[in-house]
């Protein structure tokens, strides 16, 4: 039993070093693009970013044509604005499934992940803004004996 501690000083000296934060590396393909997959509701977006002039293409169409509502376009630009990289990256993405709102959320999630793959030092800024977290809320399924997921049919006493 010689391993027993005699004082608190010995106990503090026994502390182990805190584990280091993982080191993230730049991940790009042979064309110099960073890739990521973004998801929201039923929508899935495949996103590639590369250094450029800030052009955003969604399903081979301009972002102004595909996402006509300004709110959706603003939503897509949020991670780029938060990282202060406006006009520095071209974004090419293909998105499928869900509606326009879910697709815009999926593209935003994909852009955020692709930015961290291209510039790992941006991870802290994007994480703090909540852009790297996948919003897991999906539509609840319809149950039998119900009009919708939870809505009951109208009750009539007679």
């Amino acid at each position: 039993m010689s391993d027993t501690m005699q004082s608190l000083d010995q106990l503090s000296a026994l502390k182990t070093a805190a584990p280091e934060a993982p080191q993230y590396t730049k991940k790009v393909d042979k064309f110099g693009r960073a890739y990521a997959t973004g998801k929201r509701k039923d929508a899935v977006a495949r996103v590639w970013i590369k250094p450029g002039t800030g052009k955003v293409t969604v399903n081979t169409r301009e972002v102004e044509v595909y996402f006509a509502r300004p709110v959706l376009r603003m939503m897509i630009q949020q991670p780029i604005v938060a990282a202060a990289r406006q006009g520095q990256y071209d974004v090419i993405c293909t998105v499928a499934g869900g509606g326009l709102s879910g697709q815009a959320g999926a593209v935003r999630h994909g852009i955020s992940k692709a930015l961290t793959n291209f510039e790992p030092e941006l991870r802290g800024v994007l994480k703090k803004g909540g852009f790297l977290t996948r919003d897991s809320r999906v539509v609840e399924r319809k149950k039998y004996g119900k009009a919708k997921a939870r809505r009951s049919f109208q009750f009539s006493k007679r």
Side-chain angles (χ1 to χ4, degrees):
M1 289 295 283
S2 63
D3 294 354
T4 58
M5 297 290 145
Q6 299 299 324
S7 69
L8 291 175
D9 294 332
Q10 290 176 331
L11 187 64
S12 65
L14 198 86
K15 276 189 204 170
T16 58
E20 291 183 24
Q23 295 296 317
Y24 296 100
T25 57
K26 184 175 180 176
K27 295 178 192 154
V28 292
D29 61 7
K30 62 183 177 182
F31 302 110
R33 303 175 304 185
Y35 171 78
T37 305
K39 294 181 179 183
R40 170 82 172 92
K41 293 188 178 179
D42 277 338
V44 180
R46 298 182 303 161
V47 180
W48 292 268
I49 64 165
K50 61 182 180 183
T53 59
K55 195 173 116 180
V56 180
T57 309
V58 181
N59 289 354
T60 68
R61 286 188 263 171
E62 292 297 318
V63 71
E64 290 81 15
V65 176
Y66 195 85
F67 294 113
R69 282 190 281 166
V71 173
L72 298 179
R73 289 198 302 268
M74 183 236 4
M75 202 168 136
I76 289 170
Q77 291 294 325
Q78 281 177 336
I80 298 168
V81 171
R85 298 292 188 271
Q86 299 98 312
Q88 294 183 22
Y89 291 109
D90 286 343
V91 178
I92 299 112
C93 61
T94 58
V95 63
L100 283 177
S101 176
Q103 287 184 352
V107 171
R108 179 175 86 166
H109 186 225
I111 289 172
S112 304
K113 286 170 65 177
L115 275 172
T116 58
N117 287 342
F118 202 89
E119 288 187 64
E121 60 272 9
L122 292 177
R123 182 174 171 82
V125 175
L126 295 171
K127 185 94 171 140
K128 188 171 271 189
F131 301 119
L132 295 176
T133 306
R134 192 247 199 254
D135 190 352
S136 60
R137 296 175 295 169
V138 292
V139 178
E140 191 175 346
R141 76 170 190 89
K142 184 194 176 306
K143 278 67 164 200
Y144 56 86
K146 297 282 187 179
K148 291 166 42 175
R150 298 185 181 200
R151 168 102 168 83
S152 298
F153 295 110
Q154 184 172 350
F155 175 75
S156 174
K157 196 165 188 178
R158 294 186 220 298

mmCIF file of all heavy atoms in Angstrom, residues 7-8 17 32 64 86 101 105 127 151 153:
data_model
loop_
_atom_site.group_PDB
_atom_site.id
_atom_site.type_symbol
_atom_site.label_atom_id
_atom_site.label_comp_id
_atom_site.label_asym_id
_atom_site.label_seq_id
_atom_site.Cartn_x
_atom_site.Cartn_y
_atom_site.Cartn_z
ATOM 1 N N SER A 7 -0.704 13.641 1.189
ATOM 2 C CA SER A 7 -1.188 15.021 1.306
ATOM 3 C C SER A 7 -1.929 15.415 0.025
ATOM 4 O O SER A 7 -1.872 14.723 -0.989
ATOM 5 C CB SER A 7 -0.020 15.978 1.544
ATOM 6 O OG SER A 7 0.770 16.058 0.372
ATOM 7 N N LEU A 8 -2.590 16.563 0.096
ATOM 8 C CA LEU A 8 -3.320 17.064 -1.069
ATOM 9 C C LEU A 8 -2.378 17.517 -2.174
ATOM 10 O O LEU A 8 -2.738 17.511 -3.351
ATOM 11 C CB LEU A 8 -4.243 18.218 -0.655
ATOM 12 C CG LEU A 8 -5.429 17.819 0.216
ATOM 13 C CD1 LEU A 8 -6.195 19.042 0.653
ATOM 14 C CD2 LEU A 8 -6.344 16.878 -0.541
ATOM 15 N N ALA A 17 -3.108 15.200 -17.768
ATOM 16 C CA ALA A 17 -3.270 16.316 -18.703
ATOM 17 C C ALA A 17 -4.614 16.202 -19.411
ATOM 18 O O ALA A 17 -5.066 15.108 -19.743
ATOM 19 C CB ALA A 17 -2.136 16.312 -19.718
ATOM 20 N N GLY A 32 -9.481 21.111 -56.271
ATOM 21 C CA GLY A 32 -9.373 22.203 -55.306
ATOM 22 C C GLY A 32 -10.697 22.602 -54.693
ATOM 23 O O GLY A 32 -10.844 23.713 -54.194
ATOM 24 N N GLU A 64 -30.837 33.148 -57.552
ATOM 25 C CA GLU A 64 -31.969 34.077 -57.636
ATOM 26 C C GLU A 64 -33.156 33.445 -58.347
ATOM 27 O O GLU A 64 -34.301 33.785 -58.076
ATOM 28 C CB GLU A 64 -31.575 35.376 -58.353
ATOM 29 C CG GLU A 64 -30.641 36.270 -57.576
ATOM 30 C CD GLU A 64 -29.184 35.832 -57.680
ATOM 31 O OE1 GLU A 64 -28.862 35.012 -58.577
ATOM 32 O OE2 GLU A 64 -28.381 36.295 -56.851
ATOM 33 N N GLN A 86 -17.632 36.841 -48.002
ATOM 34 C CA GLN A 86 -18.497 37.198 -49.127
ATOM 35 C C GLN A 86 -17.651 37.449 -50.375
ATOM 36 O O GLN A 86 -16.641 38.136 -50.322
ATOM 37 C CB GLN A 86 -19.320 38.465 -48.831
ATOM 38 C CG GLN A 86 -20.240 38.355 -47.656
ATOM 39 C CD GLN A 86 -19.644 38.947 -46.386
ATOM 40 O OE1 GLN A 86 -18.518 38.662 -46.045
ATOM 41 N NE2 GLN A 86 -20.433 39.749 -45.703
ATOM 42 N N SER A 101 -38.120 25.585 -48.374
ATOM 43 C CA SER A 101 -37.567 25.988 -47.077
ATOM 44 C C SER A 101 -36.580 24.947 -46.562
ATOM 45 O O SER A 101 -35.486 25.286 -46.104
ATOM 46 C CB SER A 101 -38.703 26.181 -46.072
ATOM 47 O OG SER A 101 -38.195 26.470 -44.809
ATOM 48 N N GLY A 105 -32.426 25.275 -46.075
ATOM 49 C CA GLY A 105 -31.748 24.882 -44.846
ATOM 50 C C GLY A 105 -30.671 23.832 -45.090
ATOM 51 O O GLY A 105 -29.606 23.867 -44.472
ATOM 52 N N LYS A 127 -19.576 27.156 -35.676
ATOM 53 C CA LYS A 127 -20.167 26.374 -34.592
ATOM 54 C C LYS A 127 -20.910 27.294 -33.623
ATOM 55 O O LYS A 127 -22.009 26.980 -33.173
ATOM 56 C CB LYS A 127 -19.055 25.608 -33.865
ATOM 57 C CG LYS A 127 -19.540 24.673 -32.806
ATOM 58 C CD LYS A 127 -19.705 23.291 -33.360
ATOM 59 C CE LYS A 127 -19.988 22.312 -32.243
ATOM 60 N NZ LYS A 127 -20.979 21.341 -32.641
ATOM 61 N N ARG A 151 -54.149 15.448 -34.556
ATOM 62 C CA ARG A 151 -55.483 16.035 -34.651
ATOM 63 C C ARG A 151 -56.531 14.936 -34.717
ATOM 64 O O ARG A 151 -56.463 14.037 -35.560
ATOM 65 C CB ARG A 151 -55.565 16.903 -35.899
ATOM 66 C CG ARG A 151 -56.936 17.353 -36.311
ATOM 67 C CD ARG A 151 -57.194 18.785 -35.915
ATOM 68 N NE ARG A 151 -58.381 19.335 -36.532
ATOM 69 C CZ ARG A 151 -59.606 19.159 -36.071
ATOM 70 N NH1 ARG A 151 -59.829 18.370 -35.041
ATOM 71 N NH2 ARG A 151 -60.634 19.738 -36.673
ATOM 72 N N PHE A 153 -60.607 13.568 -35.094
ATOM 73 C CA PHE A 153 -61.790 13.944 -35.868
ATOM 74 C C PHE A 153 -62.732 14.701 -34.957
ATOM 75 O O PHE A 153 -62.697 14.572 -33.723
ATOM 76 C CB PHE A 153 -62.468 12.691 -36.411
ATOM 77 C CG PHE A 153 -61.618 11.944 -37.402
ATOM 78 C CD1 PHE A 153 -61.067 10.709 -37.085
ATOM 79 C CD2 PHE A 153 -61.346 12.479 -38.663
ATOM 80 C CE1 PHE A 153 -60.270 10.016 -37.973
ATOM 81 C CE2 PHE A 153 -60.556 11.794 -39.558
ATOM 82 C CZ PHE A 153 -60.018 10.569 -39.221
#
